[in-house]
PDB file of all heavy atoms in Angstrom:
ATOM      1  N   TRP A 245      -4.252  -5.099  -8.042  1.00  0.00           N
ATOM      2  CA  TRP A 245      -4.557  -6.438  -7.570  1.00  0.00           C
ATOM      3  C   TRP A 245      -4.929  -6.428  -6.105  1.00  0.00           C
ATOM      4  O   TRP A 245      -5.783  -7.233  -5.643  1.00  0.00           O
ATOM      5  CB  TRP A 245      -3.340  -7.348  -7.733  1.00  0.00           C
ATOM      6  CG  TRP A 245      -3.246  -7.900  -9.130  1.00  0.00           C
ATOM      7  CD1 TRP A 245      -2.557  -7.423 -10.203  1.00  0.00           C
ATOM      8  CD2 TRP A 245      -3.873  -9.096  -9.621  1.00  0.00           C
ATOM      9  NE1 TRP A 245      -2.651  -8.266 -11.313  1.00  0.00           N
ATOM     10  CE2 TRP A 245      -3.512  -9.286 -10.986  1.00  0.00           C
ATOM     11  CE3 TRP A 245      -4.739 -10.013  -9.061  1.00  0.00           C
ATOM     12  CZ2 TRP A 245      -3.978 -10.324 -11.769  1.00  0.00           C
ATOM     13  CZ3 TRP A 245      -5.196 -11.080  -9.819  1.00  0.00           C
ATOM     14  CH2 TRP A 245      -4.812 -11.229 -11.173  1.00  0.00           C
ATOM     15  N   ILE A 252     -12.314 -10.466  -6.244  1.00  0.00           N
ATOM     16  CA  ILE A 252     -11.964 -11.858  -6.539  1.00  0.00           C
ATOM     17  C   ILE A 252     -12.544 -12.820  -5.449  1.00  0.00           C
ATOM     18  O   ILE A 252     -13.090 -13.855  -5.759  1.00  0.00           O
ATOM     19  CB  ILE A 252     -10.393 -11.945  -6.592  1.00  0.00           C
ATOM     20  CG1 ILE A 252      -9.875 -11.274  -7.874  1.00  0.00           C
ATOM     21  CG2 ILE A 252      -9.914 -13.437  -6.579  1.00  0.00           C
ATOM     22  CD1 ILE A 252      -8.384 -11.155  -7.906  1.00  0.00           C
ATOM     23  N   ASP A 275       0.464  -8.880  -5.095  1.00  0.00           N
ATOM     24  CA  ASP A 275      -0.910  -9.320  -4.695  1.00  0.00           C
ATOM     25  C   ASP A 275      -1.677  -9.933  -5.884  1.00  0.00           C
ATOM     26  O   ASP A 275      -2.844 -10.298  -5.750  1.00  0.00           O
ATOM     27  CB  ASP A 275      -1.709  -8.101  -4.171  1.00  0.00           C
ATOM     28  CG  ASP A 275      -1.245  -7.818  -2.740  1.00  0.00           C
ATOM     29  OD1 ASP A 275      -0.543  -8.621  -2.151  1.00  0.00           O
ATOM     30  OD2 ASP A 275      -1.637  -6.724  -2.197  1.00  0.00           O
ATOM     31  N   ARG A 276      -0.991 -10.072  -7.069  1.00  0.00           N
ATOM     32  CA  ARG A 276      -1.561 -10.889  -8.141  1.00  0.00           C
ATOM     33  C   ARG A 276      -1.739 -12.312  -7.700  1.00  0.00           C
ATOM     34  O   ARG A 276      -2.506 -13.078  -8.336  1.00  0.00           O
ATOM     35  CB  ARG A 276      -0.767 -10.786  -9.398  1.00  0.00           C
ATOM     36  CG  ARG A 276       0.571 -11.557  -9.318  1.00  0.00           C
ATOM     37  CD  ARG A 276       1.410 -11.445 -10.595  1.00  0.00           C
ATOM     38  NE  ARG A 276       2.562 -12.266 -10.569  1.00  0.00           N
ATOM     39  CZ  ARG A 276       3.732 -11.945 -10.004  1.00  0.00           C
ATOM     40  NH1 ARG A 276       3.844 -10.752  -9.429  1.00  0.00           N
ATOM     41  NH2 ARG A 276       4.729 -12.772  -9.989  1.00  0.00           N
ATOM     42  N   ALA A 277      -1.081 -12.697  -6.570  1.00  0.00           N
ATOM     43  CA  ALA A 277      -1.219 -14.051  -6.018  1.00  0.00           C
ATOM     44  C   ALA A 277      -2.616 -14.268  -5.526  1.00  0.00           C
ATOM     45  O   ALA A 277      -2.996 -15.409  -5.230  1.00  0.00           O
ATOM     46  CB  ALA A 277      -0.256 -14.195  -4.883  1.00  0.00           C
ATOM     47  N   ALA A 278      -3.467 -13.224  -5.474  1.00  0.00           N
ATOM     48  CA  ALA A 278      -4.864 -13.387  -4.943  1.00  0.00           C
ATOM     49  C   ALA A 278      -5.598 -14.416  -5.757  1.00  0.00           C
ATOM     50  O   ALA A 278      -6.373 -15.239  -5.137  1.00  0.00           O
ATOM     51  CB  ALA A 278      -5.584 -12.036  -4.985  1.00  0.00           C
ATOM     52  N   ALA A 279      -5.437 -14.490  -7.057  1.00  0.00           N
ATOM     53  CA  ALA A 279      -6.166 -15.438  -7.889  1.00  0.00           C
ATOM     54  C   ALA A 279      -5.774 -16.881  -7.534  1.00  0.00           C
ATOM     55  O   ALA A 279      -6.606 -17.766  -7.358  1.00  0.00           O
ATOM     56  CB  ALA A 279      -5.926 -15.164  -9.328  1.00  0.00           C
ATOM     57  N   GLU A 280      -4.463 -17.138  -7.366  1.00  0.00           N
ATOM     58  CA  GLU A 280      -3.995 -18.442  -7.049  1.00  0.00           C
ATOM     59  C   GLU A 280      -4.417 -18.840  -5.651  1.00  0.00           C
ATOM     60  O   GLU A 280      -4.820 -20.024  -5.363  1.00  0.00           O
ATOM     61  CB  GLU A 280      -2.485 -18.541  -7.210  1.00  0.00           C
ATOM     62  CG  GLU A 280      -1.854 -19.872  -6.758  1.00  0.00           C
ATOM     63  CD  GLU A 280      -0.366 -19.751  -6.560  1.00  0.00           C
ATOM     64  OE1 GLU A 280       0.246 -18.796  -7.020  1.00  0.00           O
ATOM     65  OE2 GLU A 280       0.203 -20.750  -6.006  1.00  0.00           O
ATOM     66  N   LEU A 281      -4.260 -17.939  -4.675  1.00  0.00           N
ATOM     67  CA  LEU A 281      -4.560 -18.222  -3.313  1.00  0.00           C
ATOM     68  C   LEU A 281      -6.064 -18.473  -3.144  1.00  0.00           C
ATOM     69  O   LEU A 281      -6.452 -19.331  -2.259  1.00  0.00           O
ATOM     70  CB  LEU A 281      -4.141 -17.115  -2.387  1.00  0.00           C
ATOM     71  CG  LEU A 281      -2.557 -16.904  -2.359  1.00  0.00           C
ATOM     72  CD1 LEU A 281      -2.204 -15.709  -1.518  1.00  0.00           C
ATOM     73  CD2 LEU A 281      -1.928 -18.181  -1.795  1.00  0.00           C
ATOM     74  N   LYS A 282      -6.893 -17.803  -3.868  1.00  0.00           N
ATOM     75  CA  LYS A 282      -8.307 -18.073  -3.861  1.00  0.00           C
ATOM     76  C   LYS A 282      -8.587 -19.570  -4.193  1.00  0.00           C
ATOM     77  O   LYS A 282      -9.333 -20.238  -3.493  1.00  0.00           O
ATOM     78  CB  LYS A 282      -9.043 -17.177  -4.867  1.00  0.00           C
ATOM     79  CG  LYS A 282     -10.594 -17.467  -4.985  1.00  0.00           C
ATOM     80  CD  LYS A 282     -11.143 -16.883  -6.227  1.00  0.00           C
ATOM     81  CE  LYS A 282     -10.787 -17.732  -7.438  1.00  0.00           C
ATOM     82  NZ  LYS A 282     -11.590 -17.300  -8.665  1.00  0.00           N
ATOM     83  N   GLU A 283      -7.964 -19.986  -5.244  1.00  0.00           N
ATOM     84  CA  GLU A 283      -8.143 -21.444  -5.662  1.00  0.00           C
ATOM     85  C   GLU A 283      -7.653 -22.440  -4.582  1.00  0.00           C
ATOM     86  O   GLU A 283      -8.216 -23.413  -4.323  1.00  0.00           O
ATOM     87  CB  GLU A 283      -7.459 -21.687  -6.988  1.00  0.00           C
ATOM     88  CG  GLU A 283      -7.997 -20.853  -8.148  1.00  0.00           C
ATOM     89  CD  GLU A 283      -9.465 -21.122  -8.426  1.00  0.00           C
ATOM     90  OE1 GLU A 283      -9.949 -22.305  -8.081  1.00  0.00           O
ATOM     91  OE2 GLU A 283     -10.213 -20.235  -8.881  1.00  0.00           O
ATOM     92  N   ARG A 284      -6.525 -22.078  -3.926  1.00  0.00           N
ATOM     93  CA  ARG A 284      -5.988 -22.950  -2.930  1.00  0.00           C
ATOM     94  C   ARG A 284      -6.969 -23.084  -1.772  1.00  0.00           C
ATOM     95  O   ARG A 284      -7.178 -24.132  -1.197  1.00  0.00           O
ATOM     96  CB  ARG A 284      -4.628 -22.459  -2.466  1.00  0.00           C
ATOM     97  CG  ARG A 284      -3.517 -22.707  -3.402  1.00  0.00           C
ATOM     98  CD  ARG A 284      -2.180 -22.396  -2.784  1.00  0.00           C
ATOM     99  NE  ARG A 284      -2.001 -23.174  -1.554  1.00  0.00           N
ATOM    100  CZ  ARG A 284      -1.127 -22.864  -0.636  1.00  0.00           C
ATOM    101  NH1 ARG A 284      -0.355 -21.771  -0.777  1.00  0.00           N
ATOM    102  NH2 ARG A 284      -1.041 -23.569   0.453  1.00  0.00           N
ATOM    103  N   LEU A 304      -3.450  -9.121   1.643  1.00  0.00           N
ATOM    104  CA  LEU A 304      -4.505 -10.002   1.234  1.00  0.00           C
ATOM    105  C   LEU A 304      -5.142 -10.767   2.378  1.00  0.00           C
ATOM    106  O   LEU A 304      -6.264 -11.319   2.252  1.00  0.00           O
ATOM    107  CB  LEU A 304      -3.998 -11.005   0.186  1.00  0.00           C
ATOM    108  CG  LEU A 304      -3.491 -10.454  -1.095  1.00  0.00           C
ATOM    109  CD1 LEU A 304      -2.977 -11.632  -1.989  1.00  0.00           C
ATOM    110  CD2 LEU A 304      -4.495  -9.644  -1.817  1.00  0.00           C
TER     111      LEU A 304
END
Side-chain angles (χ1 to χ4, degrees):
W245 278 95
I252 289 170
D275 285 348
R276 71 180 186 279
E280 175 194 348
L281 294 176
K282 176 197 75 172
E283 297 300 332
R284 285 190 55 199
L304 297 180

